[in-house]
Amino acid sequence: MLLKQLAIAWLERRGVTIDAIAQLVYEVQQKYIRNLTTVACRESVERVLEKREVQNAIFTGISLDEAAEKGQLAEPLASMLKTDDGLYGIDEVMALSIVNIYGSIGFTNFGYLDKVKPGIIGVVNDKKNEKVNTFLDDLVAAIAAAASSRLAHRDRDGLLNG
């Protein structure tokens, strides 16, 4: 549990709360799950954050974003991260390690969130001139996508209280 709490603290340090991610989950799933609550969405996000591979991706991605901000990376990587170069792609690859934790439906959820950038994803993405969030926006989208997938599976299996 210590690593989960540390991962949450790292996200919060970058301006991302569990409630903001839960709101994304709610927006993605409300059309598909009757009687969905934000409480269920938050619980699903919390469960995703218990996974070691998710924690590791958070620590790695945020560390790289912060190192780029501080000028601690060599070129050409520094420039690629600072500008969130569209052809870089490693940020999405790292996020994809989270996406499939609860099945392949996560890929479509992630694709939607990455393209539309709703809620906190857009907020994080729009801070490009202030902070380097090349990895963070994709990590948040991936966590929301995985939590959404988890809920979809639980709903199909009759495990959600409604």
Side-chain angles (χ1 to χ4, degrees):
M1 281 301 191
L2 176 63
L3 286 178
K4 175 187 169 187
Q5 295 309 318
L6 190 56
I8 291 169
W10 279 44
L11 289 168
E12 289 176 350
R13 183 176 79 218
R14 300 297 286 185
V16 177
T17 65
I18 302 308
D19 287 333
I21 300 172
Q23 185 60 43
L24 290 171
V25 174
Y26 183 80
E27 290 173 21
V28 168
Q29 289 300 316
Q30 69 175 332
K31 292 181 264 185
Y32 308 106
I33 300 175
R34 288 180 359 129
N35 303 318
L36 182 65
T37 66
T38 55
V39 171
C41 295
R42 182 184 170 92
E43 193 263 335
S44 194
V45 171
E46 295 260 4
R47 290 300 197 115
V48 168
L49 290 169
E50 291 173 1
K51 302 287 188 180
R52 181 62 57 97
E53 49 274 80
V54 175
Q55 297 161 1
N56 290 342
I58 290 168
F59 299 138
T60 303
I62 290 176
S63 291
L64 286 168
D65 282 347
E66 289 178 341
E69 272 177 18
K70 296 173 186 172
Q72 297 173 333
L73 298 176
E75 292 297 343
L77 182 59
S79 293
M80 286 186 256
L81 292 185
K82 285 181 184 175
T83 63
D84 198 1
D85 185 318
L87 295 178
Y88 177 62
I90 303 302
D91 48 336
E92 281 87 6
V93 170
M94 185 182 299
L96 291 176
S97 71
I98 296 171
V99 168
N100 204 30
I101 290 173
Y102 292 101
S104 60
I105 189 175
F107 284 104
T108 56
N109 289 334
F110 176 76
Y112 167 78
L113 292 168
D114 188 42
K115 180 75 171 165
V116 176
K117 299 197 184 305
I120 190 65
I121 299 167
V123 171
V124 167
N125 190 62
D126 289 343
K127 293 188 177 188
K128 284 182 184 171
N129 295 327
E130 302 169 36
K131 294 186 173 217
V132 175
N133 286 328
T134 298
F135 284 90
L136 184 62
D137 64 327
D138 294 308
L139 291 171
V140 171
I143 293 165
S148 296
S149 300
R150 180 181 178 277
L151 285 171
H153 284 279
R154 292 181 59 77
D155 183 54
R156 182 207 56 211
D157 294 342
L159 298 172
L160 284 181
N161 297 329

